[in-house]
PDB file of all heavy atoms in Angstrom:
ATOM      1  N   THR A  58      79.460 107.140 105.361  1.00  0.00           N
ATOM      2  CA  THR A  58      80.306 107.455 106.513  1.00  0.00           C
ATOM      3  C   THR A  58      81.251 108.608 106.195  1.00  0.00           C
ATOM      4  O   THR A  58      82.236 108.799 106.870  1.00  0.00           O
ATOM      5  CB  THR A  58      81.138 106.227 106.922  1.00  0.00           C
ATOM      6  OG1 THR A  58      82.015 105.877 105.838  1.00  0.00           O
ATOM      7  CG2 THR A  58      80.248 105.052 107.250  1.00  0.00           C
ATOM      8  N   GLY A  75      89.932  82.450 131.316  1.00  0.00           N
ATOM      9  CA  GLY A  75      89.788  83.638 132.143  1.00  0.00           C
ATOM     10  C   GLY A  75      89.356  84.835 131.303  1.00  0.00           C
ATOM     11  O   GLY A  75      88.448  84.745 130.460  1.00  0.00           O
ATOM     12  N   GLN A  87      91.507 100.289 104.569  1.00  0.00           N
ATOM     13  CA  GLN A  87      92.127 100.921 103.408  1.00  0.00           C
ATOM     14  C   GLN A  87      93.604 100.589 103.284  1.00  0.00           C
ATOM     15  O   GLN A  87      94.126 100.390 102.177  1.00  0.00           O
ATOM     16  CB  GLN A  87      91.923 102.443 103.481  1.00  0.00           C
ATOM     17  CG  GLN A  87      90.506 102.887 103.212  1.00  0.00           C
ATOM     18  CD  GLN A  87      89.666 103.004 104.469  1.00  0.00           C
ATOM     19  OE1 GLN A  87      89.704 102.109 105.314  1.00  0.00           O
ATOM     20  NE2 GLN A  87      88.906 104.084 104.605  1.00  0.00           N
ATOM     21  N   TYR A 106     106.060  85.543  84.636  1.00  0.00           N
ATOM     22  CA  TYR A 106     107.407  85.768  84.106  1.00  0.00           C
ATOM     23  C   TYR A 106     108.321  84.587  84.431  1.00  0.00           C
ATOM     24  O   TYR A 106     109.153  84.182  83.609  1.00  0.00           O
ATOM     25  CB  TYR A 106     107.938  87.056  84.726  1.00  0.00           C
ATOM     26  CG  TYR A 106     109.352  87.448  84.356  1.00  0.00           C
ATOM     27  CD1 TYR A 106     109.593  88.345  83.329  1.00  0.00           C
ATOM     28  CD2 TYR A 106     110.446  86.958  85.074  1.00  0.00           C
ATOM     29  CE1 TYR A 106     110.893  88.743  83.018  1.00  0.00           C
ATOM     30  CE2 TYR A 106     111.734  87.337  84.769  1.00  0.00           C
ATOM     31  CZ  TYR A 106     111.960  88.238  83.743  1.00  0.00           C
ATOM     32  OH  TYR A 106     113.244  88.612  83.433  1.00  0.00           O
ATOM     33  N   GLY A 109     108.990  81.456  82.136  1.00  0.00           N
ATOM     34  CA  GLY A 109     110.021  81.546  81.108  1.00  0.00           C
ATOM     35  C   GLY A 109     111.417  81.594  81.688  1.00  0.00           C
ATOM     36  O   GLY A 109     112.328  80.914  81.218  1.00  0.00           O
ATOM     37  N   LEU A 143     100.266  88.332 113.321  1.00  0.00           N
ATOM     38  CA  LEU A 143     101.180  89.114 112.489  1.00  0.00           C
ATOM     39  C   LEU A 143     102.614  88.628 112.674  1.00  0.00           C
ATOM     40  O   LEU A 143     103.362  88.489 111.694  1.00  0.00           O
ATOM     41  CB  LEU A 143     101.064  90.598 112.844  1.00  0.00           C
ATOM     42  CG  LEU A 143     101.959  91.571 112.064  1.00  0.00           C
ATOM     43  CD1 LEU A 143     101.228  92.888 111.820  1.00  0.00           C
ATOM     44  CD2 LEU A 143     103.275  91.857 112.792  1.00  0.00           C
ATOM     45  N   TRP A 147     105.028  87.123 109.981  1.00  0.00           N
ATOM     46  CA  TRP A 147     106.298  87.846 109.829  1.00  0.00           C
ATOM     47  C   TRP A 147     107.463  86.854 109.752  1.00  0.00           C
ATOM     48  O   TRP A 147     108.335  86.961 108.887  1.00  0.00           O
ATOM     49  CB  TRP A 147     106.448  88.780 111.024  1.00  0.00           C
ATOM     50  CG  TRP A 147     107.602  89.711 111.026  1.00  0.00           C
ATOM     51  CD1 TRP A 147     108.857  89.460 111.482  1.00  0.00           C
ATOM     52  CD2 TRP A 147     107.609  91.083 110.593  1.00  0.00           C
ATOM     53  NE1 TRP A 147     109.650  90.566 111.364  1.00  0.00           N
ATOM     54  CE2 TRP A 147     108.912  91.581 110.824  1.00  0.00           C
ATOM     55  CE3 TRP A 147     106.649  91.928 110.051  1.00  0.00           C
ATOM     56  CZ2 TRP A 147     109.271  92.898 110.526  1.00  0.00           C
ATOM     57  CZ3 TRP A 147     107.005  93.240 109.747  1.00  0.00           C
ATOM     58  CH2 TRP A 147     108.287  93.711 109.985  1.00  0.00           C
ATOM     59  N   ILE A 158     116.116  83.002  98.627  1.00  0.00           N
ATOM     60  CA  ILE A 158     117.438  83.604  98.410  1.00  0.00           C
ATOM     61  C   ILE A 158     118.486  82.511  98.232  1.00  0.00           C
ATOM     62  O   ILE A 158     119.389  82.620  97.407  1.00  0.00           O
ATOM     63  CB  ILE A 158     117.802  84.544  99.577  1.00  0.00           C
ATOM     64  CG1 ILE A 158     116.860  85.750  99.599  1.00  0.00           C
ATOM     65  CG2 ILE A 158     119.249  85.017  99.470  1.00  0.00           C
ATOM     66  CD1 ILE A 158     116.983  86.602 100.849  1.00  0.00           C
ATOM     67  N   ILE A 176     119.739  85.751 109.446  1.00  0.00           N
ATOM     68  CA  ILE A 176     120.274  86.126 110.759  1.00  0.00           C
ATOM     69  C   ILE A 176     120.137  87.628 111.005  1.00  0.00           C
ATOM     70  O   ILE A 176     119.759  88.061 112.107  1.00  0.00           O
ATOM     71  CB  ILE A 176     121.750  85.688 110.875  1.00  0.00           C
ATOM     72  CG1 ILE A 176     121.827  84.152 110.862  1.00  0.00           C
ATOM     73  CG2 ILE A 176     122.380  86.236 112.142  1.00  0.00           C
ATOM     74  CD1 ILE A 176     123.237  83.611 110.745  1.00  0.00           C
ATOM     75  N   GLY A 184     113.553  92.400 118.465  1.00  0.00           N
ATOM     76  CA  GLY A 184     112.987  93.674 118.915  1.00  0.00           C
ATOM     77  C   GLY A 184     111.485  93.722 118.724  1.00  0.00           C
ATOM     78  O   GLY A 184     110.749  94.190 119.606  1.00  0.00           O
ATOM     79  N   VAL A 222     107.152 101.063 121.015  1.00  0.00           N
ATOM     80  CA  VAL A 222     107.089 101.307 119.568  1.00  0.00           C
ATOM     81  C   VAL A 222     108.486 101.320 118.951  1.00  0.00           C
ATOM     82  O   VAL A 222     108.653 100.955 117.776  1.00  0.00           O
ATOM     83  CB  VAL A 222     106.333 102.620 119.250  1.00  0.00           C
ATOM     84  CG1 VAL A 222     104.886 102.524 119.694  1.00  0.00           C
ATOM     85  CG2 VAL A 222     107.014 103.840 119.848  1.00  0.00           C
ATOM     86  N   PRO A 237     121.030 100.246 110.744  1.00  0.00           N
ATOM     87  CA  PRO A 237     122.256  99.594 110.281  1.00  0.00           C
ATOM     88  C   PRO A 237     122.067  98.133 109.855  1.00  0.00           C
ATOM     89  O   PRO A 237     123.048  97.431 109.688  1.00  0.00           O
ATOM     90  CB  PRO A 237     123.135  99.666 111.532  1.00  0.00           C
ATOM     91  CG  PRO A 237     122.156  99.477 112.657  1.00  0.00           C
ATOM     92  CD  PRO A 237     120.882 100.133 112.217  1.00  0.00           C
ATOM     93  N   VAL A 263     108.890  95.500 101.985  1.00  0.00           N
ATOM     94  CA  VAL A 263     107.840  96.478 102.274  1.00  0.00           C
ATOM     95  C   VAL A 263     107.044  96.094 103.513  1.00  0.00           C
ATOM     96  O   VAL A 263     106.211  96.872 103.982  1.00  0.00           O
ATOM     97  CB  VAL A 263     106.894  96.659 101.061  1.00  0.00           C
ATOM     98  CG1 VAL A 263     107.645  97.234  99.880  1.00  0.00           C
ATOM     99  CG2 VAL A 263     106.215  95.352 100.685  1.00  0.00           C
ATOM    100  N   ALA A 270     103.400 101.726 109.291  1.00  0.00           N
ATOM    101  CA  ALA A 270     102.153 102.400 108.922  1.00  0.00           C
ATOM    102  C   ALA A 270     100.983 101.848 109.728  1.00  0.00           C
ATOM    103  O   ALA A 270     100.098 102.599 110.175  1.00  0.00           O
ATOM    104  CB  ALA A 270     101.889 102.223 107.420  1.00  0.00           C
ATOM    105  N   ASN A 285     111.080 110.907 115.503  1.00  0.00           N
ATOM    106  CA  ASN A 285     112.382 111.452 115.124  1.00  0.00           C
ATOM    107  C   ASN A 285     113.373 110.338 114.809  1.00  0.00           C
ATOM    108  O   ASN A 285     114.196 110.461 113.890  1.00  0.00           O
ATOM    109  CB  ASN A 285     112.932 112.333 116.244  1.00  0.00           C
ATOM    110  CG  ASN A 285     112.119 113.598 116.437  1.00  0.00           C
ATOM    111  OD1 ASN A 285     111.420 114.042 115.527  1.00  0.00           O
ATOM    112  ND2 ASN A 285     112.179 114.179 117.626  1.00  0.00           N
ATOM    113  N   ILE A 317     116.622 100.147  98.722  1.00  0.00           N
ATOM    114  CA  ILE A 317     116.923 100.644 100.067  1.00  0.00           C
ATOM    115  C   ILE A 317     116.669 102.148 100.135  1.00  0.00           C
ATOM    116  O   ILE A 317     116.135 102.662 101.124  1.00  0.00           O
ATOM    117  CB  ILE A 317     118.378 100.304 100.441  1.00  0.00           C
ATOM    118  CG1 ILE A 317     118.608  98.795 100.383  1.00  0.00           C
ATOM    119  CG2 ILE A 317     118.706 100.824 101.838  1.00  0.00           C
ATOM    120  CD1 ILE A 317     120.054  98.379 100.601  1.00  0.00           C
ATOM    121  N   SER A 333      99.642 108.485 104.185  1.00  0.00           N
ATOM    122  CA  SER A 333      99.230 108.629 102.781  1.00  0.00           C
ATOM    123  C   SER A 333     100.435 108.688 101.854  1.00  0.00           C
ATOM    124  O   SER A 333     100.487 107.997 100.835  1.00  0.00           O
ATOM    125  CB  SER A 333      98.376 109.894 102.613  1.00  0.00           C
ATOM    126  OG  SER A 333      97.202 109.818 103.374  1.00  0.00           O
ATOM    127  N   GLY A 354     116.385  90.907  84.786  1.00  0.00           N
ATOM    128  CA  GLY A 354     116.347  89.470  84.598  1.00  0.00           C
ATOM    129  C   GLY A 354     116.366  89.083  83.134  1.00  0.00           C
ATOM    130  O   GLY A 354     116.997  88.082  82.756  1.00  0.00           O
ATOM    131  N   LEU A 420     117.058 115.227 101.380  1.00  0.00           N
ATOM    132  CA  LEU A 420     116.131 114.529 100.489  1.00  0.00           C
ATOM    133  C   LEU A 420     116.253 115.035  99.060  1.00  0.00           C
ATOM    134  O   LEU A 420     116.253 114.251  98.104  1.00  0.00           O
ATOM    135  CB  LEU A 420     114.693 114.695 100.986  1.00  0.00           C
ATOM    136  CG  LEU A 420     114.313 113.957 102.270  1.00  0.00           C
ATOM    137  CD1 LEU A 420     112.861 114.251 102.636  1.00  0.00           C
ATOM    138  CD2 LEU A 420     114.522 112.456 102.120  1.00  0.00           C
ATOM    139  N   VAL A 458     105.977  85.331  77.123  1.00  0.00           N
ATOM    140  CA  VAL A 458     105.535  85.088  78.490  1.00  0.00           C
ATOM    141  C   VAL A 458     106.340  85.916  79.482  1.00  0.00           C
ATOM    142  O   VAL A 458     105.867  86.192  80.595  1.00  0.00           O
ATOM    143  CB  VAL A 458     105.626  83.579  78.816  1.00  0.00           C
ATOM    144  CG1 VAL A 458     107.078  83.147  79.034  1.00  0.00           C
ATOM    145  CG2 VAL A 458     104.786  83.240  80.023  1.00  0.00           C
ATOM    146  N   LEU A 466     103.654  96.117  83.532  1.00  0.00           N
ATOM    147  CA  LEU A 466     104.277  96.877  84.618  1.00  0.00           C
ATOM    148  C   LEU A 466     104.716  98.252  84.148  1.00  0.00           C
ATOM    149  O   LEU A 466     104.616  99.239  84.892  1.00  0.00           O
ATOM    150  CB  LEU A 466     105.458  96.099  85.185  1.00  0.00           C
ATOM    151  CG  LEU A 466     105.101  94.850  86.001  1.00  0.00           C
ATOM    152  CD1 LEU A 466     106.345  94.006  86.252  1.00  0.00           C
ATOM    153  CD2 LEU A 466     104.449  95.237  87.327  1.00  0.00           C
ATOM    154  N   ALA A 467     105.210  98.331  82.903  1.00  0.00           N
ATOM    155  CA  ALA A 467     105.602  99.631  82.357  1.00  0.00           C
ATOM    156  C   ALA A 467     104.395 100.547  82.227  1.00  0.00           C
ATOM    157  O   ALA A 467     104.462 101.751  82.540  1.00  0.00           O
ATOM    158  CB  ALA A 467     106.280  99.442  80.999  1.00  0.00           C
ATOM    159  N   GLU A 533     135.332 108.559  80.584  1.00  0.00           N
ATOM    160  CA  GLU A 533     136.582 109.127  81.075  1.00  0.00           C
ATOM    161  C   GLU A 533     136.369 110.076  82.256  1.00  0.00           C
ATOM    162  O   GLU A 533     137.134 110.029  83.231  1.00  0.00           O
ATOM    163  CB  GLU A 533     137.306 109.848  79.941  1.00  0.00           C
ATOM    164  CG  GLU A 533     138.724 110.281  80.268  1.00  0.00           C
ATOM    165  CD  GLU A 533     139.619 109.103  80.652  1.00  0.00           C
ATOM    166  OE1 GLU A 533     139.430 108.013  80.076  1.00  0.00           O
ATOM    167  OE2 GLU A 533     140.491 109.273  81.515  1.00  0.00           O
ATOM    168  N   LYS A 550     132.896 101.885  97.791  1.00  0.00           N
ATOM    169  CA  LYS A 550     133.095 100.535  97.259  1.00  0.00           C
ATOM    170  C   LYS A 550     133.062  99.505  98.381  1.00  0.00           C
ATOM    171  O   LYS A 550     132.563  98.384  98.187  1.00  0.00           O
ATOM    172  CB  LYS A 550     134.437 100.474  96.514  1.00  0.00           C
ATOM    173  CG  LYS A 550     134.589  99.285  95.594  1.00  0.00           C
ATOM    174  CD  LYS A 550     133.720  99.417  94.362  1.00  0.00           C
ATOM    175  CE  LYS A 550     133.961  98.280  93.391  1.00  0.00           C
ATOM    176  NZ  LYS A 550     133.036  98.349  92.238  1.00  0.00           N
ATOM    177  N   ASP A 557     132.609  94.969 107.039  1.00  0.00           N
ATOM    178  CA  ASP A 557     133.852  94.752 107.792  1.00  0.00           C
ATOM    179  C   ASP A 557     133.633  94.940 109.286  1.00  0.00           C
ATOM    180  O   ASP A 557     134.186  94.193 110.111  1.00  0.00           O
ATOM    181  CB  ASP A 557     134.936  95.719 107.298  1.00  0.00           C
ATOM    182  CG  ASP A 557     135.248  95.517 105.826  1.00  0.00           C
ATOM    183  OD1 ASP A 557     135.635  94.412 105.443  1.00  0.00           O
ATOM    184  OD2 ASP A 557     135.082  96.475 105.057  1.00  0.00           O
ATOM    185  N   ALA A 591     126.467  63.980 139.543  1.00  0.00           N
ATOM    186  CA  ALA A 591     126.359  62.536 139.285  1.00  0.00           C
ATOM    187  C   ALA A 591     127.523  61.790 139.936  1.00  0.00           C
ATOM    188  O   ALA A 591     127.334  60.724 140.551  1.00  0.00           O
ATOM    189  CB  ALA A 591     126.331  62.280 137.782  1.00  0.00           C
ATOM    190  N   GLU A 605     126.763  48.245 154.687  1.00  0.00           N
ATOM    191  CA  GLU A 605     125.812  47.131 154.614  1.00  0.00           C
ATOM    192  C   GLU A 605     126.448  45.987 153.833  1.00  0.00           C
ATOM    193  O   GLU A 605     126.133  45.769 152.657  1.00  0.00           O
ATOM    194  CB  GLU A 605     124.512  47.596 153.930  1.00  0.00           C
ATOM    195  CG  GLU A 605     123.774  48.697 154.644  1.00  0.00           C
ATOM    196  CD  GLU A 605     123.126  48.213 155.929  1.00  0.00           C
ATOM    197  OE1 GLU A 605     122.989  46.984 156.106  1.00  0.00           O
ATOM    198  OE2 GLU A 605     122.768  49.062 156.767  1.00  0.00           O
TER     199      GLU A 605
END
Side-chain angles (χ1 to χ4, degrees):
T58 63
Q87 288 92 315
Y106 177 96
L143 180 144
W147 186 273
I158 294 170
I176 294 171
V222 296
V263 296
N285 293 338
I317 301 174
S333 298
L420 290 179
V458 75
L466 289 168
E533 190 59 35
K550 197 72 175 175
D557 300 301
E605 298 289 344

